[in-house]
Amino acid sequence: MRRTALLATVTALVAGALAWPAARQADAAPVTFAHPGVTVSKSQLDFARTKVNAGAQPWKAAYDQMMASKYADLNRVPKPRATVECGSYSNPNNGCTDEREDAIAAYTDALAWYITRDDRYAKKSIALMDAWSAVIKEHTNSNAPLQTGWAGSSWPKAAELIKYTYTGTWANSGRFATMLRTVYLPEVINGSNSNGNWELSMMEAAVGISVFLEDRTSYDKAMAKFRTRTAAYIYLSSDGALPKTVPSQNLDTTAKIVNYWQGQSTFVTGLTQETCRDFTHTGYGISAISHIAETSRIQGEDLYGTDVGERLRQALGFQSKYQLGEAVPSWLCGGSLTLGLGPVTETGYNALHNRLGIAMTNTQKLTEQNRPSGSNNLFVAWETLTDGDNPN
């Protein structure tokens, strides 16, 4: 009897141990989503608020920069439209800038509410979200997926803060959720075979929207695409002679890969698929990677200790040293780089250097040199305030 009972117990324990990874597999959505949980958590916000109220730097300067920006203007008039039409290089630009900037403004006002507890900012954020959720139906033309990714990255950040920290009411939060579910998510969830920053920004939007909607299926799908794309966007020497690829792109020869990597045929750790295009687009990709990793961490899975973190660290360091002025070798992009990385280093630097203790000399120098980092007017905003040397 005892032996039978013991055998049954051991069998059950082994079965449970074997079943656990399947139920808790890597990149799986959390059983319970954390809120607010899109790129910034409540503990991070509380840290920033405490620092601002104490007048501590660089957070006070970052806050002052944000509050002086056009995005914090309480007189801002939203400009929603049913169809946002965005062509290549913003031609045509029918509502594209308006949508992105109204979304950033909604997030800015939500942050302002959290720091100040001034109801006017929460109500303004709500007014901006309500204006768009009442009107928008679709995104069209060639840049529709990227536009949806950019705007769709900012909307859920604003919505998370309002829904889960504002003490007042948001009567139309359900309509806003429907907008994200029906207008934005279908446009981004299946990804893109364009340059890597497209799909990374689209997955940032998809992950953030999935958190707000508590949509585990979409979260899992977006995270899987993100992991594949990140590995194909930033090269590590451990990848082998050639960079990894996204299967659907059929980059099945060296020539195709070199062409896709902007003609670069020498691959070194930290190089990105768009380094030889320009640092601005590279910065978009790096930023989206850091935002998704941060959201994943808040949701219970820390990717910074995986290849995602290593690729992010190496990409930040590689791009930072040239952004700081190091001479460009002849083998790299023909000896010429187009700089302009943008305000995109705070989140990754904080996670990897401050939380994990990894030395990042070039990234640290560039990050501190650029403080306070503002907005790129597309989908990045106020990260010295929210992420600067933030231990939470």
Side-chain angles (χ1 to χ4, degrees):
M1 289 274 295
R2 285 196 195 119
R3 288 179 64 189
T4 303
L6 179 61
L7 181 60
T9 301
V10 171
T11 301
L13 288 171
V14 171
L18 291 173
W20 184 79
R24 187 69 184 176
Q25 61 186 346
D27 307 331
V31 174
T32 303
F33 284 96
H35 301 290
V38 177
T39 72
V40 289
S41 66
K42 187 176 185 301
S43 61
Q44 286 173 288
L45 292 164
D46 287 340
F47 174 85
R49 183 170 187 257
T50 298
K51 291 296 187 182
V52 170
N53 288 339
Q57 300 297 356
W59 305 277
K60 181 61 165 60
Y63 166 78
D64 290 342
Q65 174 195 45
M66 179 181 80
M67 297 304 286
S69 75
K70 63 183 178 181
Y71 297 114
D73 183 1
L74 289 169
N75 295 313
R76 184 181 187 86
V77 178
K79 298 178 180 178
R81 61 175 70 203
T83 298
V84 174
E85 183 184 11
C86 308
S88 297
Y89 300 99
S90 299
N91 183 25
N93 180 345
N94 294 325
C96 315
T97 301
D98 293 337
E99 179 190 30
R100 293 193 306 265
E101 296 194 350
D102 277 349
I104 293 173
Y107 175 55
T108 301
D109 288 326
L111 283 174
W113 141 254
Y114 199 89
I115 302 293
T116 65
R117 295 299 197 269
D118 184 336
D119 267 24
R120 294 177 302 163
Y121 289 101
K123 289 176 179 175
K124 189 64 181 180
S125 181
I126 290 170
L128 289 162
M129 290 189 283
D130 284 354
W132 280 88
S133 70
V135 173
I136 190 167
K137 300 297 181 189
E138 63 179 352
H139 297 85
T140 64
N141 215 315
S142 58
N143 266 29
L146 182 60
Q147 170 71 18
T148 311
W150 282 342
S153 293
S154 296
W155 286 130
K157 291 196 291 188
E160 282 279 301
L161 291 186
I162 295 300
K163 184 173 181 178
Y164 293 101
T165 73
Y166 180 46
T167 50
T169 58
W170 180 15
N172 291 314
S173 63
R175 187 179 74 194
F176 186 83
T178 298
M179 175 193 79
L180 293 181
R181 182 180 295 109
T182 60
V183 178
Y184 289 81
L185 191 56
E187 187 70 41
V188 296
I189 191 63
N190 292 317
S192 164
N193 286 322
S194 184
N195 281 300
N197 82 85
W198 276 53
E199 184 161 272
L200 289 166
S201 288
M202 291 163 71
M203 290 310 105
E204 179 184 344
V207 167
I209 290 168
S210 296
V211 170
F212 184 71
L213 297 178
E214 298 194 328
D215 182 340
R216 301 183 79 249
T217 300
S218 294
Y219 184 95
D220 289 348
K221 183 174 182 178
M223 287 299 297
K225 283 189 173 295
F226 164 69
R227 292 295 295 267
T228 300
R229 176 60 70 175
T230 299
Y233 193 70
I234 300 167
Y235 177 80
L236 297 179
S237 59
S238 57
D239 294 337
L242 295 170
K244 291 180 179 291
T245 62
V246 175
S248 60
Q249 293 190 267
N250 298 312
L251 300 173
D252 51 7
T253 67
T254 299
K256 287 181 181 179
I257 291 172
V258 168
N259 181 63
Y260 187 59
W261 282 64
Q262 317 296 324
Q264 178 69 11
S265 58
T266 301
F267 300 103
V268 297
T269 292
L271 183 79
T272 81
Q273 182 253 313
E274 296 185 274
T275 297
C276 294
R277 180 186 185 188
D278 59 62
F279 273 28
T280 301
H281 287 89
T282 297
Y284 299 164
I286 289 172
S287 181
I289 290 168
S290 67
H291 290 166
I292 295 171
E294 196 68 9
T295 296
S296 178
R297 185 188 68 87
I298 296 166
Q299 297 305 325
E301 185 185 12
D302 195 336
L303 297 178
Y304 292 114
T306 71
D307 79 295
V308 170
E310 180 62 9
R311 291 178 196 278
L312 178 60
R313 178 176 80 89
Q314 296 291 353
L316 283 167
F318 186 84
Q319 266 62 220
S320 290
K321 70 180 179 182
Y322 294 112
Q323 185 66 40
L324 288 165
E326 182 165 317
V328 183
S330 59
W331 57 263
L332 177 61
C333 310
S336 177
L337 293 170
T338 302
L339 304 179
L341 194 59
V344 302
T345 64
E346 287 278 16
T347 302
Y349 168 71
N350 184 58
L352 295 162
H353 176 73
N354 293 323
R355 292 200 202 108
L356 297 185
I358 301 170
M360 299 175 70
T361 306
N362 290 317
T363 306
Q364 179 173 1
K365 183 177 180 181
L366 182 63
T367 300
E368 292 176 349
Q369 179 178 294
N370 289 342
R371 285 178 172 169
S373 65
S375 174
N376 70 353
N377 304 311
L378 299 172
F379 68 103
V380 178
W382 325 125
E383 292 182 1
T384 298
L385 175 64
T386 57
D387 295 79
D389 298 338
N390 194 320
N392 297 291

